[in-house]
C-alpha cells in the first residue's frame, strides 16, 4: 500500500519534463514515430527483451520518451508502482479486466459502473465464458459473501457513474484482500487530487484521461495505475492487444495536467456552490453530490476524499419527458453531450441501469458537469429554464 503524497502541486510542475534543461524547451516535444533504430544488434536485443518496461524505447507501439514521462508522472500522482497508458478510458477498463479474467472465472462488478463497463462485461466477457455477477455497490464488507473460489477480480467505482453513491472503498478492498482477490476501481471522478485509491487498498486504478486529467475536451486517453504485483500482467496484456496512445494525446495530457490542481479546486468550489443552489429550487427533489448528506455514501466521501469533482446529479420532481426536454433544450450555457471534465459545462438526462438491484428514486435524474464559467452565469441560465419542470406542489 502506498501513502498519500503531500507535494502534488510541485509534482504537477516538475514531473513529465525533459531531464536536462541546458538550452532546451520547458516541455517534452511532440513525439511521433513507429520504428526505433539501434546501432548494434546487441542494443536492439536488450531493448526487445525489456520492451514491456516503462522507459525502454523499442518500437513506437510500446511508448516513447514523452509517453514514459507521462506514465511516470501519473504513477507518482497515484502513488502507484506503474502506470500504463491506453487509447481511451474504456480501453483502460477493458485492458485491466482482460489482465485478470479467464474462461470459467467469476468477475464481481458493482451495479453502478460506467455504462460501457457493463457493455464490455455483458457483451464480450460473457461470450468468452467469464461469469459476471453484479453487486450492490453499498454492500461494503458484505462483498465477502459474494466472493467465490473462482472470483478473479472485483470492479467498482467511487462514486458511481451517473448516480454518485460512494461505496465504502476500504471495506470492499479489505474483504477482497482477505480473500486474495484483486480490486479494480474506476477513479475518473476524483482524480488523484482528491483521492488516491491505492492508499485505500485498491490494487488497480483506472481513469479516463479524456476527462479532468487532460481537462480540455480535446483528447482521448486512459490510464491504468497499479501496485507492483500487477504491473507485468497489465503491461503485457495491454501491449498484446496492441492498444496504443497517440503522440499528440500524450502531449495534450502533459499540458493539461499542469493545471489539474487549480482546475479541481475550482470545480470543487463551484460544484458545491451550484449543488447548494439546486437544492433550494422548488423543482428539485434531491441533489446527488457526494459532498452533500443527501447523497448515499456521503460519510465515505467525507472520510476518504479531500474534495469533490464538479460532476453531480440532480433528481427533479416527477415530470414528463417533454418537460425534461424543454428544460434541457432551453439551457444556453450547458452543452448536451456525453463525457465531462473539460472546461465547459454540460447537461445530460440519465437513466441508471441496474441488474443487482433497482434504482428507486422517483423523479428525473439529470447529470450536470460544472465548467469554468462564472457560477452566476450558470445559475441565471438554469433559473430561466427551470419553470419548464414541475415543482412538488404542481
Ligand atoms: C468517460 C468515462 C469512461 C470512459 O472514458 P473514455 O475516455 O471516454 O473512453 C470511463 N469511466 C468513467 C467513470 C467515465 O466517466
Amino acid at each position: 500500500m502506498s501513502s498519500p503524497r503531500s507535494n502534488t502541486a510541485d509534482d504537477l510542475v516538475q514531473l513529465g519534463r525533459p531531464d536536462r534543461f541546458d538550452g532546451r524547451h520547458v516541455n517534452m516535444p511532440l513525439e511521433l514515430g513507429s520504428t526505433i533504430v539501434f546501432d548494434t544488434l546487441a542494443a536492439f536485443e536488450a531493448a526487445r527483451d525489456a520492451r514491456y518496461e516503462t522507459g525502454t524505447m523499442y518500437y513506437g507501439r510500446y511508448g516513447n520518451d514523452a509517453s514514459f514521462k507521462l506514465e511516470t508522472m501519473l504513477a507518482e500522482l497515484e502513488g502507484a508502482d506503474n502506470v500504463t497508458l491506453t487509447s481511451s478510458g474504456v480501453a483502460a477498463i477493458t485492458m485491466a479486466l482482460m489482465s485478470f479474467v479467464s474462461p470459467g472465472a467469476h468477475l464481481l462488478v458493482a451495479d453502478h459502473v460506467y455504462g460501457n463497463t457493463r457493455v464490455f462485461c455483458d457483451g464480450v466477457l460473457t461470450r468468452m465464458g467469464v461469469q459476471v455477477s453484479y453487486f450492490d455497490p453499498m454492500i461494503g464488507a458484505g462483498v465477502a459473501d459474494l466472493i467465490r473460489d473462482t472470483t478473479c477480480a472485483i470492479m467498482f467505482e467511487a462514486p458511481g457513474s451517473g448516480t454518485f453513491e460512494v461505496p465504502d472503498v476500504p471495506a470492499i478492498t479489505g474483504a477482497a484482500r482477505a480473500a486474495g482477490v484483486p480490486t479494480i476501481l474506476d477513479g475518473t471522478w476524483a482524480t488523484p487530487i482528491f483521492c488516491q485509491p491505492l492508499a485505500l487498498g485498491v490494487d488497480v486504478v483506472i481513469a479516463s484521461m479524456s476527462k479532468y486529467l487532460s481537462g480540455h475536451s480535446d483528447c482521448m486517453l486512459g490510464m491504468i495505475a497499479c501496485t507492483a504485483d500487477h504491473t507485468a500482467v497489465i503491461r503485457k496484456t495491454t501491449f498484446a492487444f496492441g492498444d496504443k496512445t497517440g503522440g499528440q494525446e500524450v502531449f495534450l495530457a502533459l499540458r493539461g495536467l499542469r493545471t489539474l490542481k487549480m482546475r479541481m479546486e475550482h470545480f470543487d468550489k463551484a460544484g458545491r456552490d451550484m449543488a447548494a443552489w439546486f437544492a433550494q429550487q422548488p423543482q428539485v427533489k434531491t441533489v446527488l453530490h457526494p459532498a452533500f448528506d443527501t447523497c448515499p455514501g456521503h460519510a465515505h466521501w467525507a472520510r476518504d476524499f479531500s474534495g469533490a469533482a464538479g460532476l453531480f446529479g440532480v433528481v427533479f420532481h416527477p415530470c414528463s419527458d417533454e418537460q425534461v426536454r424543454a428544460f434541457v433544450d432551453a439551457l444556453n450555457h450547458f452543452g448536451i453531450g456525453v463525457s465531462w471534465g473539460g472546461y465547459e459545462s454540460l447537461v445530460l438526462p440519465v437513466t441508471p441501469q441496474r441488474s443487482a438491484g433497482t434504482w428507486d428514486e422517483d423523479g428525473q435524474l439529470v447529470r450536470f458537469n460544472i465548467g469554468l464559467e462564472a457560477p452566476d452565469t450558470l445559475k441565471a441560465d438554469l433559473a430561466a429554464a427551470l419553470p419548464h419542470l414541475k415543482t412538488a406542489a404542481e
Side-chain angles (χ1 to χ4, degrees):
M1 243 187 262
S2 37
S3 50
R5 300 178 52 78
S6 55
N7 58 346
T8 308
D10 298 343
D11 283 348
L12 289 172
V13 172
Q14 286 158 5
L15 300 179
R17 293 174 58 185
D19 292 328
R20 292 183 299 144
F21 290 118
D22 45 338
R24 286 177 172 75
H25 284 296
V26 165
N27 294 306
M28 293 298 289
L30 169 61
E31 235 177 296
L32 305 169
S34 54
T35 300
I36 287 155
V37 287
F38 300 84
D39 289 336
T40 65
L41 193 54
F44 167 80
E45 287 165 348
R48 181 194 58 200
D49 293 348
R51 66 190 180 280
Y52 296 117
E53 284 163 31
T54 303
T56 301
M57 297 264 284
Y58 168 64
Y59 177 51
R61 187 166 4 91
Y62 296 83
N64 56 39
D65 280 338
S67 71
F68 296 143
K69 285 285 184 200
L70 178 55
E71 288 180 336
T72 309
M73 180 175 182
L74 291 164
E76 196 67 29
L77 294 171
E78 293 284 358
D81 174 64
N82 184 267
V83 161
T84 303
L85 295 175
T86 58
S87 56
S88 68
V90 166
I93 292 164
T94 60
M95 292 299 102
L97 289 172
M98 289 307 290
S99 300
F100 295 101
V101 297
S102 54
H106 171 235
L107 176 69
L108 275 169
V109 180
D111 219 9
H112 64 175
V113 287
Y114 177 66
N116 277 294
T117 304
R118 193 180 278 273
V119 168
F120 182 71
C121 290
D122 295 348
V124 180
L125 293 185
T126 302
R127 176 155 52 79
M128 286 173 44
V130 178
Q131 311 210 309
V132 179
S133 63
Y134 291 91
F135 67 95
D136 171 2
M138 302 311 279
I139 197 170
V143 77
D145 298 336
L146 306 177
I147 295 174
R148 308 176 192 168
D149 291 345
T150 53
T151 304
C152 62
I154 300 174
M155 169 89 211
F156 66 130
E157 267 174 51
S161 270
T163 45
F164 301 97
E165 64 278 78
V166 186
D168 187 336
V169 177
I172 291 176
T173 59
R177 286 208 170 175
V181 175
T183 50
I184 306 169
L185 181 106
D186 185 331
T188 304
W189 185 84
T191 81
I193 301 299
F194 292 147
C195 184
Q196 292 165 317
L198 295 173
L200 301 174
V202 170
D203 296 288
V204 180
V205 181
I206 73 91
S208 165
M209 298 183 66
S210 321
K211 312 293 168 55
Y212 289 129
L213 295 176
S214 66
H216 297 75
S217 305
D218 54 6
C219 97
M220 297 209 65
L221 207 60
M223 59 130 230
I224 311 171
C226 65
T227 56
D229 339 355
H230 305 297
T231 295
V233 68
I234 286 170
R235 291 188 79 78
K236 281 192 176 178
T237 303
T238 305
F239 293 133
F241 272 92
D243 190 63
K244 158 82 176 69
T245 58
Q248 176 153 300
E249 284 71 17
V250 168
F251 182 91
L252 289 170
L254 281 167
R255 182 160 84 166
L257 277 170
R258 302 299 168 202
T259 56
L260 180 66
K261 191 163 187 285
M262 56 185 285
R263 283 186 286 112
M264 295 314 291
E265 283 164 357
H266 173 87
F267 296 135
D268 184 14
K269 191 161 166 275
R272 291 185 207 221
D273 180 18
M274 294 301 299
W277 180 85
F278 269 116
Q280 289 166 358
Q281 307 309 308
Q283 295 85 358
V284 172
K285 192 175 165 213
T286 187
V287 171
L288 299 177
H289 183 303
F292 288 68
D293 60 13
T294 47
C295 187
H298 163 71
H300 302 147
W301 172 84
R303 183 191 61 196
D304 298 332
F305 293 66
S306 59
L311 182 83
F312 58 88
V314 175
V315 182
F316 292 103
H317 287 295
C319 54
S320 69
D321 272 2
E322 289 67 34
Q323 288 171 317
V324 175
R325 284 173 181 279
F327 164 69
V328 168
D329 288 351
L331 295 169
N332 293 316
H333 290 273
F334 291 82
I336 305 166
V338 294
S339 200
W340 46 273
Y343 55 88
E344 79 289 10
S345 290
L346 297 169
V347 60
L348 197 65
V350 179
T351 307
Q353 282 185 293
R354 289 292 183 270
S355 45
T358 51
W359 196 74
D360 292 329
E361 271 309 337
D362 184 25
Q364 176 63 50
L365 174 60
V366 179
R367 188 182 79 176
F368 292 89
N369 176 63
I370 303 305
L372 296 175
E373 303 89 344
D376 284 348
T377 307
L378 300 178
K379 286 175 196 170
D381 194 22
L382 289 160
L386 276 173
H388 287 290
L389 299 173
K390 280 202 215 166
T391 63
E394 285 174 66

